[in-house]
Amino acid sequence: EVQLVESGGGLVQPGGSLRLSCAASGFTFSNYAMSWVRQIPGVGLEWVSGIDSGGAGVRYADSVKGRFTISRDNVKNTLYLQMNSLNAKDTAVYYCAKSGLSIATVALSDLGYWGQGTQVTVSS
């Protein structure tokens, strides 16, 4: 059974940083691309970032480029999202999701499994 468990969310002040983690199990983690997707209140789902199965290829939404860094540890079966220079627009529930492909894409339809999400709130 595929399981994805996010952690690391919380309340942070504008300009602050957080590091999200996603522990994966139930599949061969190193074979699949992974993504982070966020759900913004009143807006809907937004793809944030993706990483290829081997970790070499990464992609970012324009809204987070230069501020967020995605990475993965294929030994620990864990996906990460380092978020810096956070602002109020980053407030959302963040989900990690497993792709059915080895190459990261921006299409939400490629993401077959999702975690339960972790809340990130940016506020002073």
Side-chain angles (χ1 to χ4, degrees), residues 2-121:
V2 173
Q3 289 195 329
L4 301 169
V5 180
E6 302 95 337
S7 60
L11 174 64
V12 63
Q13 291 187 341
S17 298
L18 280 176
R19 189 194 196 200
L20 305 184
S21 299
C22 173
S25 62
F27 65 101
T28 305
F29 183 71
S30 59
N31 284 357
Y32 296 96
M34 299 290 295
S35 286
W36 288 98
V37 180
R38 63 188 181 185
Q39 184 162 27
I40 301 174
V43 174
L45 290 172
E46 178 187 30
W47 176 87
V48 173
S49 181
I51 186 168
D52 293 350
S53 59
V58 296
R59 303 181 71 171
Y60 298 96
D62 288 343
S63 58
V64 306
K65 199 172 295 183
R67 300 187 299 121
F68 290 11
T69 303
I70 190 171
S71 62
R72 64 191 296 162
D73 185 329
N74 284 348
V75 174
K76 295 182 177 180
N77 291 348
T78 303
L79 177 72
Y80 303 100
L81 186 67
Q82 178 66 44
M83 305 187 295
N84 299 329
S85 302
L86 286 162
N87 59 63
K89 293 182 179 180
D90 297 316
T91 294
V93 177
Y94 285 74
Y95 299 91
C96 74
K98 172 188 171 295
S99 173
L101 309 172
S102 61
I103 303 298
T105 67
V106 303
L108 297 182
S109 59
D110 288 336
L111 304 175
Y113 294 90
W114 298 59
Q116 83 289 348
T118 186
Q119 176 70 48
V120 172
T121 302

